[in-house]
């Protein structure tokens, strides 16, 4: 892939504290003779938490956005059988804990909708899933900028 001419400028870096919540599937229930589709309350609350963590002074990113995130889930008490000892010995190892990394990403991106305008602007998404004694999500948002201009990202 030829990306030499792509330049990204860091717009915001922040942390969402607490145990990450993956985006849950929409639910449906019958009200009268109609089906009502809704987002579960745990997902709505987590998306609101994400929105509240965006720095108040963060500028709005441009039309083309890159988001990097690291999802840190609670570290299990014992090493899973599939995980090599050398990996488990790391402070915050990769882990295939409960929840797909894409569902955690969806919850964070949907929480950023008010600030981003719409997550359709995200053209580059990089996500990792790890475990830690301090569960959280670290988020870095970049805006595409003209090559050669001043930038904070890479």
């Amino acid at each position: 892939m030829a990306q030499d001419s792509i330049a990204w400028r860091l717009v915001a870096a922040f942390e969402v504290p607490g145990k990450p919540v993956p985006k849950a599937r929409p639910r449906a229930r019958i009200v009268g003779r109609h089906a009502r589709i809704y987002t579960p309350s745990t997902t709505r609350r987590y998306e609101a938490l994400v929105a509240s963590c965006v720095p108040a002074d963060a500028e709005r990113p441009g039309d083309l956005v890159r988001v990097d995130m690291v999802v840190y889930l609670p570290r299990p008490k014992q090493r899973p059988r599939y995980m090599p000892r050398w990996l488990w010995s790391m402070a915050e190892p990769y882990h295939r804990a409960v929840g797909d990394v894409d569902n955690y990403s969806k919850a964070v991106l949907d929480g950023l909708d008010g600030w981003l305008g719409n997550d359709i602007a995200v053209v580059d998404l990089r996500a990792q899933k790890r475990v830690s004694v301090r569960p959280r999500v670290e988020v870095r948002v970049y805006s595409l900028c003209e090559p050669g201009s001043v930038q904070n990202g890479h």
Side-chain angles (χ1 to χ4, degrees):
M1 286 189 246
Q3 294 209 358
D4 329 42
S5 60
I6 300 291
W8 297 100
R9 182 176 54 83
L10 181 64
V11 175
F14 58 93
E15 183 177 291
V16 182
K19 184 179 175 184
V21 176
K23 179 80 172 188
R25 298 197 184 281
R27 305 283 193 254
R29 70 176 169 198
I30 303 299
V31 178
R33 296 185 334 182
H34 304 283
R36 180 176 172 262
I37 308 295
Y38 65 97
T39 300
S41 61
T42 52
T43 299
R44 283 197 324 270
R45 282 194 302 270
Y46 188 71
E47 290 171 357
L49 173 64
V50 170
S52 72
C53 291
V54 176
D57 61 346
E59 69 173 273
R60 290 182 89 91
D63 292 333
L64 300 172
V65 176
R66 175 179 126 198
V67 177
D68 296 353
M69 70 179 76
V70 183
V71 177
Y72 293 96
L73 297 163
R75 187 178 178 108
K77 295 193 185 325
Q78 293 185 325
R79 175 181 64 88
R81 281 190 292 222
Y82 70 83
M83 186 178 287
R85 290 187 199 302
W86 64 268
L87 183 60
W88 185 247
S89 67
M90 295 172 62
E92 297 175 325
Y94 291 102
H95 191 21
R96 61 179 209 205
V98 175
D100 296 344
V101 71
D102 62 310
N103 289 330
Y104 289 106
S105 299
K106 286 179 208 173
V108 171
L109 292 176
D110 286 350
L112 295 177
D113 262 357
W115 176 63
L116 281 178
N118 190 328
D119 60 11
I120 197 168
V122 178
V123 295
D124 189 344
L125 175 63
R126 303 168 190 200
Q128 298 178 26
K129 188 169 66 168
R130 294 174 171 253
V131 290
S132 173
V133 294
R134 192 170 65 86
R136 66 198 182 280
V137 178
E138 294 176 353
V139 182
R140 295 175 69 85
V141 180
Y142 299 86
S143 194
L144 187 68
C145 61
E146 189 174 341
S149 65
V150 176
Q151 67 219 37
N152 300 328
H154 40 288

